[in-house]
């Protein structure tokens, strides 16, 4: 066969490894650790050093974790009565009857007390509520609080197991040098270093760190294992892909970003509870693992070989069908493919007794 062309069945069998049994039931475990410290000085929190216990949620090191990069802080909240925020549409009132007592304010901060609190000489006011007071009123800062977080590092340890072949591996090298993980950083020249610089991960998704740190976002880290177990185990290596998972809206859209609220609770000297409310903006990381493993097996080899032979026969049949019945020069192809048995004597086409005797003599 000339020209170096590879027939279809051979391509499936060799390039697609049709001789291998496949296992896609990958079992995986992911452990993560974030490291880094930074210092801030704000009016709400004063001078403060931030370490991993302050800015990573949850602290257990799971495959989904959140790094705080920006905050709105409402300190010293206590349960009592106060005016609802003017930014809540359902809280607007003109008289006490607009604030039926006991009813919660939708998308608000508390329960109405029955009073309409008006400021100055204006008729428009907001309902008084029983809530954690004072309510949150500040808007998002124009600069991220933890703007140095791009130098934090993420340690991702991944264990995988293909149960069909009883094959296990991890993305961390089995080395004795304790300083390796302290100094290495993941990159094209160092794919077996599972330490990722946070700012680099963001840039690999095509995003700007300062922008995502300001309003938050979601980043996916995908680890892919495609293992040919007919080769040495050292040839089974992870590949990493980074992508921005949340949709980025143009401008300062309220739909952009990622945030949530949490509180830290305290008691004063009299035993009265109070709290500091925090609205946290930051980056959520989702670590996803997938893969497949293949190994030679006689059963798929026989099945794919038999299928290839059958397909070659079916292909020949359909080629003949097209050439004989559907092309303009079908008569030429038909005459070349099938030879007609013609009589060597002109006449009416009948065979004489002498011709039959000659034929029998030849056969004998």
């Amino acid at each position: 066969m000339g020209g170096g062309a590879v027939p279809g069945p051979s391509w499936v069998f060799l390039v697609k490894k049709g001789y291998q049994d496949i296992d896609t039931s990958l079992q995986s475990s992911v452990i993560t650790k974030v490291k880094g410290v930074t210092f801030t000085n704000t009016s709400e929190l004063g001078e403060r050093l931030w370490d991993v216990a302050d800015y990573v949620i949850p602290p257990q090191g799971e495959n989904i974790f959140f790094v705080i990069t920006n905050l709105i802080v409402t300190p010293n909240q206590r349960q009592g009565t106060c005016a609802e925020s003017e930014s809540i549409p359902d809280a607007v009132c003109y008289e006490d009857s607009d604030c039926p007592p006991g009813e919660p304010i939708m998308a608000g901060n508390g329960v109405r007390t029955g009073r309409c609190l008006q400021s100055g000489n204006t008729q428009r006011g907001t309902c008084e509520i029983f809530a954690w007071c004072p309510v949150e009123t500040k808007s998002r800062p124009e600069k991220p609080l933890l703007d140095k977080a791009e130098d934090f590092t993420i340690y991702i340890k991944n264990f995988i197991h293909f149960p069909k072949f009883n094959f296990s591996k991890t993305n961390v090298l089995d080395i004795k040098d304790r300083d390796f993980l302290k100094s290495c950083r993941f990159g094209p020249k160092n794919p077996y270093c599972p330490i990722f610089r946070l700012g680099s991960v963001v840039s690999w998704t095509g995003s700007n760190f300062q922008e995502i740190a300001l309003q938050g976002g979601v980043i996916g880290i995908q680890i892919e294992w495609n293992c040919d177990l007919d080769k040495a185990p050292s040839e089974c290596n992870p590949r990493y892909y980074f992508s921005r998972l949340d949709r980025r809206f143009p401008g300062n859209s309220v739909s952009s970003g990622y945030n949530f609220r949490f509180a830290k609770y305290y008691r004063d000297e009299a035993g009265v509870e109070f709290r500091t409310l925090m609205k946290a903006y930051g980056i959520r990381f989702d670590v996803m693992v997938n893969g497949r493993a293949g190994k030679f097996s006689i059963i798929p080899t026989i099945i794919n070989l038999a299928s290839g032979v059958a397909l070659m026969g079916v292909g020949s049949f359909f080629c003949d069908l097209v050439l004989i019945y559907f092309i303009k020069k079908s008569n030429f192809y038909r005459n070349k493919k099938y030879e007609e048995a013609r009589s060597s004597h002109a006449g009416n086409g009948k065979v004489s007794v002498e011709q039959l005797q000659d034929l029998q003599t030849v056969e004998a």
Side-chain angles (χ1 to χ4, degrees):
M1 185 174 180
V6 180
S10 299
W11 179 81
V12 172
F13 187 75
L14 297 176
V15 178
K16 292 297 184 180
K17 297 181 175 61
Y19 53 86
Q20 288 186 335
D21 191 11
I22 302 299
D23 186 4
T24 58
S25 58
L26 175 68
Q27 298 173 352
S28 173
S29 175
V30 174
I31 299 172
T32 59
K33 291 182 181 179
V34 181
K35 287 190 176 181
V37 295
T38 189
F39 176 81
T40 61
N41 188 357
T42 63
S43 58
E44 296 88 357
L45 299 174
E47 294 183 348
R48 179 164 182 174
L49 180 74
W50 296 78
D51 64 11
V52 63
D54 297 313
Y55 58 74
V56 174
I57 301 171
Q60 291 90 346
E62 301 176 356
N63 64 317
I64 298 177
F65 59 96
F66 179 81
V67 177
I68 296 174
T69 55
N70 206 3
L71 278 176
I72 296 177
V73 181
T74 307
N76 197 26
Q77 283 189 323
R78 299 171 184 265
Q79 290 200 7
T81 58
C82 54
E84 179 60 283
S85 171
E86 295 180 355
S87 64
I88 307 297
D90 197 35
V92 176
C93 63
Y94 295 91
E95 54 188 22
D96 290 346
S97 60
D98 295 331
C99 305
E103 288 191 7
I105 296 180
M106 300 302 295
N109 296 284
V111 178
R112 295 179 177 91
T113 64
R115 296 178 59 197
C116 179
L117 301 180
Q118 298 166 333
S119 58
N121 296 324
T122 60
Q123 294 183 346
R124 175 183 169 127
T126 56
C127 291
E128 183 185 63
I129 57 172
F130 179 78
W132 286 95
C133 298
V135 298
E136 179 186 279
T137 57
K138 294 182 180 179
S139 58
R140 186 183 66 206
E142 296 182 357
K143 182 181 178 182
L145 178 66
L146 304 185
D147 57 348
K148 299 295 191 297
E150 60 182 325
D151 291 323
F152 294 170
T153 59
I154 307 170
Y155 173 38
I156 302 176
K157 185 188 292 186
N158 179 212
F159 301 94
I160 63 160
H161 179 69
F162 289 101
K164 181 179 287 188
F165 306 122
N166 193 29
F167 176 82
S168 300
K169 200 169 183 185
T170 179
N171 66 330
V172 182
L173 289 176
D174 184 14
I175 57 176
K176 307 301 181 184
D177 185 4
R178 293 179 176 269
D179 295 329
F180 173 74
L181 293 179
K182 295 180 180 179
S183 58
C184 75
R185 293 293 180 271
F186 174 84
K189 296 182 179 179
N190 207 358
Y192 262 95
C193 174
I195 308 294
F196 302 83
R197 181 177 173 270
L198 196 151
S200 298
V201 172
V202 173
S203 65
W204 291 333
T205 69
S207 300
N208 177 271
F209 177 80
Q210 295 300 322
E211 174 250 323
I212 196 174
L214 181 64
Q215 60 184 7
V218 184
I219 287 179
I221 302 175
Q222 181 174 326
I223 308 175
E224 186 176 273
W225 297 83
N226 286 324
C227 300
D228 185 352
L229 300 186
D230 292 327
K231 299 179 180 179
S234 60
E235 297 294 320
C236 175
N237 299 315
R239 298 190 66 180
Y240 297 88
Y241 301 91
F242 308 90
S243 58
R244 179 82 179 265
L245 299 182
D246 63 309
R247 182 179 177 186
R248 287 171 288 179
F249 293 89
N252 294 320
S253 172
V254 295
S255 299
S256 298
Y258 182 81
N259 62 79
F260 63 92
R261 291 175 175 84
F262 68 97
K264 294 188 175 181
Y265 294 85
Y266 312 92
R267 290 189 180 275
D268 59 19
E269 296 178 354
V272 178
E273 186 179 44
F274 67 99
R275 73 179 190 181
T276 297
L277 177 67
M278 300 185 183
K279 182 178 182 180
Y281 298 82
I283 308 172
R284 166 177 159 158
F285 293 90
D286 290 17
V287 183
M288 301 161 284
V289 183
N290 61 58
R292 65 198 298 267
K295 192 174 185 180
F296 174 79
S297 175
I298 191 64
I299 294 177
T301 301
I302 294 174
I303 292 175
N304 285 304
L305 281 176
S307 300
V309 172
L311 285 173
M312 291 174 68
V314 172
S316 176
F317 169 76
F318 278 104
C319 286
D320 286 344
L321 191 67
V322 172
L323 291 171
I324 293 174
Y325 294 103
F326 296 102
I327 65 173
K328 292 182 179 180
K329 296 183 179 181
S330 59
N331 290 331
F332 174 78
Y333 179 77
R334 188 185 295 111
N335 292 334
K336 290 294 182 180
K337 184 172 180 64
Y338 303 109
E339 294 183 1
E340 295 184 1
R342 300 179 183 274
S343 174
S344 61
H345 300 277
N348 57 7
K350 295 182 179 180
V351 181
S352 65
V353 175
E354 290 78 6
Q355 290 174 332
L356 289 174
Q357 289 175 346
D358 293 341
L359 180 62
Q360 290 174 352
T361 303
V362 172
E363 290 177 352

